[in-house]
Amino acid sequence: FRSDDVAYWLYSSGTTGMPKGTMHVHSSPMVMAQSAGQRRIGYREDDVVFSAAKLFFSYGLGNAIFCPMWVGATSVFYPERPTPQTVFEMLRGYQPTMFFAVPTLYAAILADSECKPKNSSSRLRICFSAGEPLPAHVGKSWKQRFGLDIVNGVGSTEMGHLFLTNLPNAVEYGRSE
């Protein structure tokens, strides 16, 4: 295989028109893992990653497969639809250092009175959001309850993963740079 040969297809939801299969080449995962994963988000070899986003989304594929594999990190998978309760079972049971979800799930967790820091991962160092706009009040409420910012990013199926993110140490709610 050559680096510019098609390696896989991801299917878009049609937000940019009709749904379509987007072809990605063999070199794409490496570029995504280096730029978004290692340099921007800061994946490390000792990380344990839990992504509520499934692998059939570019967000889940990038944050749970490509980026961890690039640095030798570990990923934890949950095959069912994530709920606040099942997310916290995973956080408590596997003690991940990185958690990836969509804003709707973060808001649902905040609305669940059983989801408390003592029931979470004591090792969590990064919470990340993409897939839809992150309301500032969700990020601020999360920080108040769990002591961690939610790092926000923007990506697309066509790009293959994230192409714009906050930096983990410089989160500004309502902005991604």
Side-chain angles (χ1 to χ4, degrees):
F1 297 101
R2 294 186 328 243
S3 64
D4 61 347
D5 286 341
V6 174
Y8 62 98
W9 291 36
L10 289 171
Y11 287 85
S12 77
S13 62
T15 54
T16 59
M18 293 293 294
K20 58 192 158 293
T22 303
M23 296 179 283
H24 295 278
V25 297
H26 283 278
S27 57
S28 294
M30 178 189 67
V31 171
M32 288 180 254
Q34 286 177 328
S35 61
Q38 196 172 21
R39 288 195 296 260
R40 195 77 181 169
I41 299 170
Y43 279 76
R44 305 183 312 223
E45 183 178 6
D46 63 337
D47 279 320
V48 176
V49 178
F50 173 50
S51 174
K54 301 300 181 206
L55 300 179
F56 50 79
F57 295 113
S58 59
Y59 176 45
L61 185 62
N63 66 44
I65 296 287
F66 297 149
C67 295
M69 282 179 63
W70 182 253
V71 298
T74 300
S75 286
V76 175
F77 298 98
Y78 181 74
E80 306 299 321
R81 182 178 178 272
T83 66
Q85 297 79 25
T86 60
V87 164
F88 269 68
E89 287 172 20
M90 298 297 288
L91 293 174
R92 192 172 42 256
Y94 292 95
Q95 293 293 303
T97 56
M98 302 176 87
F99 173 53
F100 292 81
V102 296
T104 301
L105 184 54
Y106 282 108
I109 290 168
L110 287 168
D112 189 321
S113 62
E114 296 297 312
C115 296
K116 300 176 182 171
K118 69 178 183 175
N119 298 332
S120 184
S121 171
S122 61
R123 298 181 58 218
L124 209 54
R125 69 178 185 86
I126 291 180
C127 295
F128 201 93
S129 174
E132 59 191 62
L134 175 67
H137 75 274
V138 170
K140 290 174 184 175
S141 295
W142 187 270
K143 170 94 177 195
Q144 183 177 7
R145 184 183 298 179
F146 295 101
L148 290 169
D149 280 308
I150 299 174
V151 181
N152 193 35
V154 177
S156 72
T157 302
E158 293 80 4
M159 290 294 292
H161 191 46
L162 302 165
F163 55 82
L164 185 67
T165 72
N166 287 133
L167 290 170
N169 60 353
V171 171
E172 290 187 48
Y173 293 110
R175 297 177 60 166
S176 291
E177 318 191 317

